[in-house]
Each structure stands twice: as C-alpha cells, then as structure tokens.
Amino acid sequence: MPNLDDEAYKKLGEQLAGSFGAEAARYDRTRPPYPAELVERIVSTSPGPRVVDVGCGTGKLSRQLRAAGCEVLGVEHDDLMAGFARETGVTVEVSKFETWDPAGREFDAVVAGQSWHWVDAEAGARQVARVLRPGGIFVALWHVFAAPDPISQAVADVYEKVAPEAPLRVAHTLEKAVASYSAGCKRTAEGFIATGKFGDPTEWSVQWDRTYTTAEYLDLILTMSPMALLTEEQLTKLLDGVGAAIDAYGGNFTSTYETLAVAVTRN
C-alpha cells in the first residue's frame, strides 16, 4: 500500500468494500472455506450457540458454523451479498456492523471471517462489547495465501504493467503476507484490550494447501479487491497474462494457505 493520507485510504476502502456484491456467486464459488479445526475451536470456546457473523458476505463461515450446531445471525452491509447468503439459508440483517442495532439481543460469540479490516476498529470493538455476554468470545479470521513464486511474480508484473497508477499492488510471498496479517491480528487484539472489556488475546493458525487449474485461479482473481480498480480492458490483459504464466507452469499449481485468527474473551 502506498503512502495515502487517512481520508484517501478511507475512500479507497469504501470503494473496494462495495465491490464484492456484484460478484457474489463467483465469490462464494471460489473463496475457500475455513479449516474445520478453527470452526471447531470457535464452537468449543464459545460459551453457547448464539453467534453473530460480522460482514458475513455470502455466508461461507455462517454455513460452517450452522453445520457445527450454532445459531448464526449474519450482519452484512451489501444487499447483494446478503441476498445470496439468505438464499443459502443464512439469516441476515443488512447494516454496517458499527451502526447495526442489536435490539437488546445478547450473543455468545461474534466472528468476522475476512471482514474485520473493513470495520472501524474503535467503533467495532465497542459494538462487540455491547452485544457479547460476559465470557463470550470475539474471533477474527483471515486467509493468507501465496502462489508459487513464478505465478506470484507473474501476477505482480502483469498488474504493474496494465495498471501502473493503481494505488494497490498485488502478489507477495507467503512469509511476508503472514507477517503482515499477524501484525494485523495484534493490532486488532490491542484495540479490544484498550476498551477495558476484554481479556488477554490468543492467536490461532492452521496451514493447508489448495490446488488450482488456470481457469480456477483466474476465477478467483476476479474476486480480489484490487481488480475492482481496473477497467475492463485492463482486466482482460491481466487475465490473459496470468493465464499464460500458469499454462507455462503446467496448467495448475498448489497454493499454500495459512488461516490466522485472533480471539478475545469478554470480561
């Protein structure tokens, strides 16, 4: 991320956060589920079954938690995403989490899968404290992944070529990505501890692999937020370039994922 001032960064975030709804079906199809080990840990750590899923999107994490026996309410600000989640059986209320009205309801857990970075950290922590029962848990999760170096570098090179003025860059090594997201987990925990309403944080992680064909990875790329900054022509050139790189690599590759989570408990 370049050196944008706070207002420019906020505007960019709002633009990107609103880019997912039009690709809801693709997002649900291509984005991976959460490791069963982490879902089970949320369920076993929560003092009860009532869960709020912040920025539930298409309902991927919500559905996994429901399958594990939880009663899940999604809160999602994007109407199209919320509509998709409802079609899969998830109960969703449309609102930004920070301004959502819980109407006096209290929950055992609040989770945020791939979404907490879109929430105002200070207001979000206050809202979680408002809706969690004592002993309840908050868990934020992020998938971190990287393609093999030749693929990752090809994505970075093509993106730079077709969109040299874009305020975001893409592609990274897994080690750098994990370090960045781990720092984000620590900042998230610090924000909750600063409220005085949460106990010491814990961090969880699970590493796993996923194999992609050329077509599958190009499908995934179309859901990544930096792509929302490209014109149709730029996007076509990027897909052509990345597709050629994967084909040259053999037409498929295995991507290493690490799913990171940070958890705090309501005092």
Side-chain angles (χ1 to χ4, degrees), residues 23 25 38 43 48 62 83 86 89 101 125 134 142 150 164 174 182 191 206 211 227 234 260 266:
E23 293 285 354
L38 292 183
V43 174
S62 294
R86 289 190 184 112
D101 181 8
W142 286 276
L174 183 64
S182 293
V206 175
T211 298
M227 305 310 153
Q234 287 174 322
L260 304 179
R266 181 74 160 88

Side-chain angles (χ1 to χ4, degrees), residues 34-48 51 61 65 70 108-112 137-141 204 261 263:
Y34 294 85
E37 179 181 334
L38 292 183
V39 174
E40 291 165 5
R41 192 162 184 179
I42 292 170
V43 174
S44 64
T45 306
S46 174
V51 180
L61 180 56
L65 289 167
C70 295
D108 302 299
V110 176
V111 299
I137 62 164
F138 167 80
V139 183
L141 308 92
W204 311 336

Side-chain angles (χ1 to χ4, degrees), residues 48-70:
R50 303 190 68 200
V51 180
V52 173
D53 186 359
V54 178
C56 69
T58 62
K60 293 192 78 81
L61 180 56
S62 294
R63 297 196 298 272
Q64 289 183 263
L65 289 167
R66 283 180 56 201
C70 295

Side-chain angles (χ1 to χ4, degrees), residues 1 48 88 116 154 174 249:
M1 175 67 70
T88 71
W116 194 251
L174 183 64
Y249 192 77

Side-chain angles (χ1 to χ4, degrees), residues 31-232:
R31 291 298 180 100
Y34 294 85
E37 179 181 334
L38 292 183
V39 174
E40 291 165 5
R41 192 162 184 179
I42 292 170
V43 174
S44 64
T45 306
S46 174
R50 303 190 68 200
V51 180
V52 173
D53 186 359
V54 178
C56 69
T58 62
K60 293 192 78 81
L61 180 56
S62 294
R63 297 196 298 272
Q64 289 183 263
L65 289 167
R66 283 180 56 201
C70 295
E71 303 167 12
V72 184
L73 172 64
V75 177
E76 171 58 50
H77 80 283
D78 188 301
D79 284 307
L80 295 175
M81 283 286 199
F84 188 101
R86 289 190 184 112
E87 290 177 0
T88 71
V90 178
T91 301
V92 185
E93 295 181 7
V94 177
S95 175
K96 286 189 174 182
F97 179 69
E98 303 94 311
T99 56
W100 170 60
D101 181 8
R105 291 167 291 181
E106 191 174 67
F107 297 86
D108 302 299
V110 176
V111 299
Q114 296 286 118
S115 65
W116 194 251
H117 51 287
W118 302 120
V119 176
D120 180 273
E122 186 175 338
R126 289 198 303 267
Q127 180 76 301
V128 172
R130 180 184 180 192
V131 303
L132 267 184
R133 57 173 281 194
I137 62 164
F138 167 80
V139 183
L141 308 92
W142 286 276
H143 292 312
V144 188
F145 77 101
D149 288 346
I151 307 302
S152 184
Q153 190 59 53
V155 174
D157 291 346
V158 177
Y159 194 91
E160 174 69 25
K161 182 178 179 180
V162 303
E165 303 302 321
L168 291 180
R169 298 270 66 86
V170 297
H172 44 250
T173 64
L174 183 64
E175 292 77 11
K176 288 183 178 180
V178 169
S180 176
Y181 276 85
S182 293
C185 285
K186 288 180 171 58
R187 287 194 300 272
T188 297
E190 290 167 357
F192 277 84
I193 299 305
T195 68
K197 299 181 182 297
F198 293 88
D200 291 338
T202 57
E203 294 185 24
W204 311 336
S205 68
V206 175
Q207 192 169 98
W208 47 283
D209 292 333
R210 182 163 180 160
T211 298
Y212 290 97
T213 64
T214 301
E216 288 169 341
Y217 195 65
L218 296 183
D219 208 19
L220 175 66
I221 280 178
L222 289 170
T223 72
M224 296 177 181
S225 55
M227 305 310 153
L229 303 174
L230 304 182
T231 65
E232 185 174 345

